Amino acid sequence: MVATENKTVAVAPEAQSGFVYLPLIAGWLVPGAGHFLLRKWGRGALLAVSILGMFVLGIAMQGKVYANAHDILAMLGLAGDLGNGLLYVVSRMMGLGADTVQVTTADYGTRFIVVAGLLNVISAVDAHNLRTGRKI
Amino acid sequence: MLHPSHFASVVVFAICASVVFGITQRETPRRMVRYGIYCFVLFVGSAVALSWAMYLIAR
């Protein structure tokens, strides 16, 4: 049993062995992978579809994938994009996305890509909480 | 290249974000669904309300 701030939750036996940060890292690199590692198939699939869907739609809308941080807004955008893990690396390697935003939908696409990264970070942290027993 | 309407963009964004919020912020499946729907309604509702507010201010 692990005591948290307001409640006590049972920790699954399989969650007590192995590298504790593996679901966090896997979840960051590949959306939903952290939950798959913990055998939360349904949750992992829904998270993967949502995050991958947002990222792919952002790319399809010719959203901008931030490559450098020349001002504070670009820095924040880059931080959000990096949350996509391997998706960001692959998109940079393949030259996906637009360099400059020229139409309104491309601006939406840029936000989709950034928010997909932020949601992926939330998802990875959730997998870590499941792994440590902080969440059921 | 994809050119969704503004409303379609809001709805897709709200669906994806609500699914993640629901799963990550609640513990039981029933509460996840309820919170996801709550987030979706807030996302879309606030976008529609703010759009009407801006439309009325601009007139």
Side-chain angles (χ1 to χ4, degrees):
Chain A
M1 303 289 273
V2 174
T4 56
E5 283 180 14
N6 299 321
K7 60 192 173 188
T8 303
V9 295
V11 180
E14 68 272 14
Q16 293 175 328
S17 60
F19 184 47
V20 75
Y21 294 106
L22 186 60
L24 178 71
I25 295 168
W28 170 59
L29 290 175
V30 180
H35 288 76
F36 290 143
L37 278 176
L38 299 168
R39 300 180 190 282
K40 301 281 184 187
W41 306 110
R43 295 186 200 184
L46 282 169
L47 290 170
V49 168
S50 298
I51 293 165
L52 279 170
M54 275 194 95
F55 185 84
V56 169
L57 283 172
I59 294 289
M61 285 189 241
Q62 286 295 295
K64 178 181 177 181
V65 178
Y66 288 95
N68 49 42
H70 50 79
D71 60 32
I72 185 68
L73 284 177
M75 200 181 296
L76 292 170
L78 180 64
D81 279 4
L82 285 172
N84 286 300
L86 288 180
L87 287 176
Y88 176 77
V89 176
V90 170
S91 65
R92 290 284 301 139
M93 285 172 64
M94 295 176 69
L96 299 174
D99 293 329
T100 54
V101 173
Q102 293 179 334
V103 290
T104 311
T105 49
D107 202 20
Y108 292 164
T110 306
R111 304 302 153 228
F112 269 52
I113 295 167
V114 171
V115 173
L118 298 175
L119 292 175
N120 192 38
V121 171
I122 294 175
S123 163
V125 171
D126 185 63
H128 178 66
N129 287 338
L130 287 167
R131 173 65 179 76
T132 56
R134 200 173 296 156
K135 186 184 175 190
I136 301 169
Chain B
M1 189 174 167
L2 208 60
H3 289 290
S5 67
H6 295 213
F7 186 70
S9 302
V10 166
V11 170
V12 171
F13 182 96
I15 290 171
C16 295
S18 301
V19 167
V20 177
F21 282 177
I23 291 172
T24 57
Q25 304 301 313
R26 292 294 182 269
E27 295 191 347
T28 60
R30 186 180 172 83
R31 293 187 68 202
M32 286 175 186
V33 172
R34 284 172 64 101
Y35 189 66
I37 293 170
Y38 173 72
C39 287
F40 178 78
V41 170
L42 277 187
F43 271 127
V44 177
S46 58
V48 171
L50 285 171
S51 302
W52 272 107
M54 287 188 283
Y55 170 75
L56 293 173
I57 290 169
R59 289 187 73 181

